[in-house]
């Protein structure tokens, strides 16, 4: 074994101080030869041993210093350090390990490591010790060490194998174990994981909200447009694309003013508020067509700038509905006005009827007393002619004012229109061309042929007067149609088939103000003395009583077109008409009761004294006994006093304070078999039904011809 060169570590030893060198003393005992050489070797070995001892003393001092440093480091390092032997016994543990594994005196002492290891982690720890035994080092991460009830440590276990010699110079294997507490790191990691999970959930919620918002925007009924701080469109939902007739891809990036010319007015509110309702504005489609829209805006400020959201609602449908509602309200007002005018006209006609009835009746009596051919007789004929014209005028008023249905039958409109054509061509000016085109295969309608002819004749006559002396054309045609819902609502028609008769002229036309009044009685645009203003009013009344309607289209300079809608007669209506028995022809029996040979006694009640006087004279000349009353109460008392004295009761309907129905009801109570007739110039369907329900045998419409009145009295008085 080579010796270390100790001269590098320790300097050569200085010899001890000695007296000055003396001359070598030689004596007999002086060694020489081999002995001297041996002595020199011994002295050299001694010096070498002294040097080795000095090195050992230095090494021992260094080892003791290193051991002290290790002990200081082992005890003060902020880690749990333990030295564990092969039998899991803890040979040495630092203070950190003692505080971690036995924080309290009552806790389990740190004498072995494996009892602290969780059962689920024990196999990993044993495998780490085996690996350290073989490889020198090993590691087991996130091992759970149970310290006490409810307390544990989660840490990484680092193992290093150390070799030492025992006193018997046998190798001894031990393990230096370091436990690094991962609790704070795990808590931080779990917190980060929770934060990441929450962030992920928030991102999912954000994406869900974005998709939901996108779905709401895309399905919104209003147009939604988002604009950035540069007034460029960033969002353009499908409703906006439909409203402005522009694809979304084409609209994105466009300025807002492309669709909303008043964009500056909209964006100016951003400095004042976060949202605003701006009301109605005019917008433009991609093609430049104007739209009425209702605008509201919302402003949002963020780090990137400002975002403006514009909500636009299409007002086209609302305006259409408003116009339709206004039209319906106008029609309702017109209907109320016409109803009021009709009621007034009916009342006027009632008074006219009484006057005309008296005039015509007295003319008949005067004619009977005057020889024919005399000037007086000629005058009476003129009076009679004028009275009949007045009666026809009153009947036109009643046609407008009455609501009761006319006596209708199955009518072929082609025949009625062609009959009207023949009447027109007789008086038609040569400057006016009349064209009639009515298909012969049109289905029949339930109508009064005379009233239909009168309505068509009035329309054609109005067209002739509108054209005047100029050259013009009048076209009359008919067709089978089904009016649409708008037309049905406008004219008050029920669903079904209608025959439409159109009268079209190329006259000057009418403005809106004239059209709103054309059906009013006595309204006319003709000069004074050239029209009564009843022609179109009669047409309106005819169509109303037939369950149809009349539609008008006219504009100044474009002529006028009147369309009459007649409901088609159904099979059930035709069958009902075929079952109605034909009325019996009136007889003209004598005015004498056959059983008693006495004159038949008629009670006539009317509040108009002139009519009572007239009827008394008429019926007495025909052989009747007549009792006239102007007070219905007096008539009731007279009937109560002598019920068998009277053979017939004729009463007016319209009497102040006591109607004709009241008198009919009282008469039927007094004498149930007494024939009763009700007379009036204004009899509605309701009045007729009520009178028949009370037992009236007939209704007499005033004014009538004398012969017609007398024939009705004859029929009822003799049990007809």
């Amino acid at each position: 074994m080579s010796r270390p060169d100790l001269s590098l570590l320790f300097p050569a030893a200085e010899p001890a101080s000695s007296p000055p060198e003396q001359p070598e003393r030689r004596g007999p005992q002086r060694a020489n030869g081999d002995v001297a050489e041996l002595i020199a070797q011994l002295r050299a070995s001694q010096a070498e041993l002294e040097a080795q001892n000095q090195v050992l003393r230095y090494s021992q001092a260094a080892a003791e210093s290193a051991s002290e440093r290790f002990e200081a480091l082992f005890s003060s390092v902020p880690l749990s350090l333990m030295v564990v032997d092969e039998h899991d016994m803890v040979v040495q543990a630092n203070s950190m390990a003692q505080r971690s594994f036995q924080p309290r005196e009552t806790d389990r002492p740190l004498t072995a490591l494996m009892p602290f290891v969780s059962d689920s982690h024990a196999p990993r720890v044993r495998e780490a010790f085996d690996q350290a035994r073989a490889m020198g080092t090993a590691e087991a991460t996130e091992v759970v060490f149970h310290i006490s009830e409810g307390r544990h440590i989660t840490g990484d276990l680092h193992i290093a194998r150390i070799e030492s010699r025992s006193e018997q110079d046998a190798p001894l294997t031990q393990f230096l174990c370091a436990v690094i507490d991962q609790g704070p790191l795990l808590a931080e990691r779990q917190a980060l994981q929770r934060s990441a999970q929450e962030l992920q959930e928030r991102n999912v919620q954000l994406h869900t909200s974005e998709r939901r918002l996108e779905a709401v925007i895309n399905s919104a009924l209003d147009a939604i447009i988002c604009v950035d701080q540069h007034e460029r469109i960033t969002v353009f939902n499908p409703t906006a694309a439909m409203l402005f007739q522009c694809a979304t891809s084409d609209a994105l990036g466009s300025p807002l003013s492309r669709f909303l010319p008043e964009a500056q007015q909209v964006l100016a509110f951003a400095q004042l508020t976060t949202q605003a309702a701006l009301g109605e504005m005019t917008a433009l489609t991609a093609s430049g067509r104007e739209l009425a829209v209702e605008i509201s805006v919302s402003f949002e400020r963020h780090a990137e700038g400002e975002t403006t959201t514009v909500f636009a609602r299409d007002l086209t449908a609302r305006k259409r509905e408003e116009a339709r509602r206004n039209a319906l309200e106008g029609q309702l007002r017109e209907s109320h006005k016409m109803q009021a005018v009709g009621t007034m006209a009916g009342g006027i006609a009632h008074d006219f009827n009484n006057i005309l009835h008296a005039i015509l009746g007295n003319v008949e009596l005067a004619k009977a007393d005057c020889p024919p051919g005399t000037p007086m007789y000629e005058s009476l004929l003129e009076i009679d002619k004028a009275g009949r014209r007045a009666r026809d005028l009153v009947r036109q008023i009643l046609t407008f004012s009455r609501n009761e249905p006319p006596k209708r039958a199955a009518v072929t409109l082609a025949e009625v229109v062609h009959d009207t054509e023949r009447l027109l061509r007789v008086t038609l000016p040569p400057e006016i061309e009349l064209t009639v085109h009515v298909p012969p295969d049109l289905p029949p309608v339930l109508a009064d042929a005379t009233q239909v002819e009168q309505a068509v004749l009035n329309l054609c006559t109005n067209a002739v007067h509108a054209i005047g002396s100029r050259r013009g054309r009048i076209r009359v045609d008919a067709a089978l149609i089904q009016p649409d819902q708008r037309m049905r609502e406008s004219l008050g028609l029920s669903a079904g088939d209608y025959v439409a008769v159109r009268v079209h002229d190329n006259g000057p036309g009418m403005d809106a103000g004239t059209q709103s009044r054309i059906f009013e009685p006595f309204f006319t645009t003709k000069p004074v003395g050239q029209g009564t203003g009843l022609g179109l009013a009669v047409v309106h009344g005819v169509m109303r009583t037939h369950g149809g309607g009349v539609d008008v289209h006219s504009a100044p300079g474009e002529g006028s077109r009147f369309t009459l809608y007649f409901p088609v007669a159904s099979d059930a209506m035709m069958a009902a008409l075929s079952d109605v028995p034909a009325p019996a022809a009136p007889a003209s029996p004598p005015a004498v009761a056959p059983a008693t040979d006495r004159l038949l006694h008629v009670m006539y009640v009317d509040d108009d004294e002139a009519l009572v006087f007239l009827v008394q004279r008429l019926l007495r000349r025909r052989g009747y006994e007549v009792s006239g009353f102007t007070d219905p109460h007096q008539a009731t008392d007279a009937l109560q006093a002598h019920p068998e004295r009277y053979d017939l009761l004729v009463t007016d309907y319209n009497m102040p304070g006591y109607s004709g129905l009241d008198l009919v009801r009282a008469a039927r109570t007094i004498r149930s078999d007494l024939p009763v007739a009700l007379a009036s110039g204004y009899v509605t369907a309701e009045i007729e039904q009520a009178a028949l329900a009370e037992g009236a045998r007939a209704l007499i419409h005033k004014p009538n011809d004398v012969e017609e009145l007398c024939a009705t009295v004859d029929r009822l008085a003799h049990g007809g």
Side-chain angles (χ1 to χ4, degrees):
M1 175 177 168
S2 62
R3 295 191 181 100
D5 186 4
L6 299 180
S7 63
L8 298 175
L9 297 175
F10 304 101
E14 292 290 336
S17 62
S18 62
E21 181 179 358
Q22 296 295 330
E24 183 181 358
R25 295 170 61 183
R26 295 184 179 273
Q29 297 85 8
R30 181 181 176 192
N32 54 16
D34 294 335
V35 174
E37 183 180 356
L38 179 61
I39 292 173
Q41 290 179 351
L42 289 174
R43 286 178 178 174
S45 297
Q46 182 180 3
E48 183 178 357
L49 289 174
E50 288 178 357
Q52 289 179 353
N53 287 336
Q54 197 170 6
V55 170
L56 288 175
R57 284 194 298 270
Y58 178 82
S59 297
Q60 184 178 0
E64 289 177 355
S65 176
S67 177
E68 289 176 358
R69 287 197 302 271
F70 174 77
E71 288 294 337
L73 179 63
F74 185 82
S75 61
S76 61
V77 69
L79 293 176
S80 296
L81 298 178
M82 294 166 284
V83 178
V84 181
D85 64 9
E86 294 234 20
H87 305 289
D88 193 43
M89 297 299 295
V90 177
V91 178
Q92 188 178 2
N94 67 350
S95 59
M96 186 68 179
Q98 294 293 343
R99 287 196 303 270
S100 299
F101 285 85
Q102 191 182 4
R104 296 175 300 185
E105 294 183 358
T106 57
D107 293 335
R108 179 170 49 197
L110 183 60
T111 57
L113 180 60
M114 291 305 296
F116 288 93
V117 180
S118 172
D119 294 339
S120 60
H121 294 183
R124 288 198 301 121
V125 173
R126 292 191 186 96
E127 183 179 352
F129 273 102
D130 293 340
Q131 182 180 357
R133 187 179 291 109
M135 305 295 295
T137 59
E139 180 183 357
T141 59
E142 296 185 9
V143 179
V144 177
F145 300 92
H146 289 289
I147 307 303
S148 61
E149 186 68 27
R151 186 172 181 272
H152 66 275
I153 296 175
T154 301
D156 295 342
L157 177 61
H158 297 268
I159 306 173
R161 187 190 67 197
I162 56 177
E163 297 286 346
S164 63
R165 300 244 175 212
S166 64
E167 294 179 356
Q168 293 78 15
D169 203 22
L172 181 63
T173 301
Q174 293 180 334
F175 301 95
L176 178 61
C177 300
V179 178
I180 302 176
D181 188 4
Q182 298 292 341
L185 294 177
L186 290 177
E188 184 178 356
R189 185 187 307 168
Q190 291 173 356
L192 290 175
Q193 289 176 348
R194 287 194 299 270
S195 177
Q197 185 177 3
E198 292 176 356
L199 181 60
Q200 185 177 4
E201 291 177 354
R202 290 186 62 183
N203 287 336
V204 172
Q205 293 176 356
L206 180 61
H207 291 316
T208 303
S209 298
E210 289 177 351
R211 289 193 299 268
R212 186 182 301 115
L213 178 61
E214 183 180 1
V216 170
I217 291 176
N218 290 337
S219 61
L221 298 179
D222 292 341
I224 299 178
I225 306 174
C226 293
V227 183
D228 60 14
Q229 63 269 25
H230 303 296
E231 300 183 14
R232 297 290 176 176
I233 296 175
T234 58
V235 174
F236 202 74
N237 72 336
T239 305
M242 184 181 302
L243 176 62
F244 296 104
Q245 299 177 4
C246 180
T248 301
S249 58
D250 183 28
L252 295 179
S254 301
L256 180 61
S257 57
R258 175 184 178 185
F259 304 104
L260 200 63
E262 304 175 27
Q264 293 300 326
Q265 179 182 348
V266 173
L267 300 177
F269 283 86
Q271 306 300 325
L272 304 176
T273 181
T274 58
Q275 57 184 8
L278 304 183
E280 183 177 343
M281 286 188 175
T282 300
L284 295 177
T285 64
S287 60
R289 183 172 61 88
E290 291 187 351
L291 287 175
V293 294
E294 185 178 28
I295 297 295
S296 59
V297 291
S298 175
F299 305 99
E300 179 183 0
R301 297 174 178 85
H302 44 77
E304 291 77 11
E306 292 184 355
T307 298
T308 303
T309 304
V310 179
F311 303 88
R313 178 171 299 177
D314 187 10
L315 297 180
T316 304
R318 182 190 300 179
K319 285 185 171 297
R320 187 185 303 116
E321 286 300 318
E322 288 179 355
R324 178 173 171 270
R325 183 173 63 251
N326 292 336
L328 291 176
E329 290 176 354
Q331 292 174 7
L332 181 61
R333 289 192 298 269
E334 185 69 18
S335 176
H336 289 168
K337 179 178 69 175
M338 299 298 284
Q339 184 177 2
V341 172
T343 302
M344 179 190 68
I348 295 174
H350 172 264
D351 293 336
F352 280 179
N353 275 335
N354 291 339
I355 298 172
L356 292 174
H357 200 174
I359 293 174
L360 293 175
N362 281 287
V363 166
E364 288 296 326
L365 292 176
K367 285 164 58 180
D369 295 335
C370 183
T374 61
M376 184 180 296
Y377 190 83
E378 295 296 330
S379 299
L380 292 174
L381 290 178
E382 290 300 320
I383 295 173
D384 183 72
K385 187 186 300 182
R388 291 179 186 276
R389 286 199 301 269
R391 182 189 63 184
D392 293 338
L393 180 61
V394 171
R395 284 180 176 175
Q396 287 187 356
I397 297 175
L398 292 177
T399 300
F400 167 79
S401 62
R402 285 175 182 164
N403 289 319
E404 74 273 11
K407 299 184 182 299
R408 295 185 287 177
V411 173
T412 302
L413 286 179
E415 298 179 359
V416 175
V417 173
H418 286 302
D419 290 342
T420 308
E421 178 187 6
R422 285 192 293 271
L423 292 175
L424 277 172
R425 291 196 182 277
V426 176
T427 58
L428 193 67
E431 296 83 4
I432 297 178
E433 177 185 353
L434 176 63
T435 304
V436 177
H437 178 70
V438 180
D441 56 348
L442 290 175
V445 298
L446 283 181
D448 184 328
T450 303
Q451 291 191 7
V452 174
E453 182 179 332
Q454 183 180 17
V456 176
L457 184 62
N458 285 356
L459 291 180
C460 294
T461 303
N462 262 25
V464 171
H465 291 165
I467 295 173
S469 59
R470 300 180 296 107
R471 287 191 173 275
R473 295 184 306 274
I474 299 175
R475 176 179 174 82
V476 181
D477 56 24
L480 178 65
I481 64 171
Q482 286 186 343
D484 57 21
Q485 183 177 359
R486 184 195 64 80
M487 182 62 67
R488 293 199 306 270
E489 292 178 354
S490 175
L491 301 181
L493 304 176
S494 57
D497 294 333
Y498 287 79
V499 175
V501 178
R502 289 182 290 266
V503 178
H504 191 185
D505 68 74
N506 63 344
M510 297 177 288
D511 56 21
T514 302
Q515 289 186 57
S516 65
R517 301 189 60 190
I518 56 176
F519 294 117
E520 293 182 10
F522 310 114
F523 173 77
T524 180
T525 58
K526 301 172 187 176
V528 177
Q530 295 187 16
T532 62
L534 288 172
L536 293 179
V538 169
V539 173
H540 185 278
V542 168
M543 298 312 300
R544 184 177 58 185
T545 56
H546 281 76
V550 54
D551 183 37
V552 184
H553 285 277
S554 183
E558 298 181 6
S560 302
R561 184 180 75 247
F562 289 81
T563 305
L564 308 179
Y565 292 92
F566 292 95
V568 172
S570 63
D571 295 338
M573 295 178 180
M574 299 295 292
L577 284 176
S578 62
D579 294 337
V580 176
S588 299
V592 179
T596 59
D597 291 335
R598 66 176 179 83
L599 296 178
L600 294 174
H601 195 170
V602 178
M603 175 183 285
Y604 185 81
V605 183
D606 197 304
D607 59 329
D608 193 318
E609 186 174 354
L611 281 181
V612 173
F613 178 70
L614 170 64
V615 172
Q616 284 179 328
R617 295 177 61 198
L618 286 173
L619 295 182
R620 284 172 182 169
R621 288 197 177 192
R622 296 182 66 88
Y624 290 95
E625 181 181 356
V626 183
S627 296
F629 297 89
T630 57
D631 186 352
H633 297 283
Q634 294 180 1
T636 304
D637 294 340
L639 185 60
Q640 181 72 43
H642 304 283
E644 300 299 332
R645 179 181 176 186
Y646 302 97
D647 300 293
L648 173 64
L649 170 62
V650 179
T651 177
D652 186 30
Y653 172 75
N654 296 296
M655 293 184 293
Y658 198 81
S659 72
L661 286 180
D662 295 330
L663 183 55
V664 171
R665 194 177 298 112
R668 296 289 294 175
T669 302
I670 298 172
R671 181 181 165 188
S672 60
D673 62 338
L674 179 65
V676 180
L678 191 68
S680 178
Y682 184 63
V683 180
T684 64
E686 292 78 8
I687 294 174
E688 182 175 359
Q689 293 175 2
L692 296 177
E694 294 295 340
R697 300 280 186 86
L699 280 88
I700 303 175
H701 294 272
K702 299 187 297 183
N704 289 327
D705 291 332
V706 173
E707 293 299 328
E708 182 181 354
L709 172 64
C710 295
T712 303
V713 171
D714 291 340
R715 177 172 58 84
L716 295 178
H718 290 83

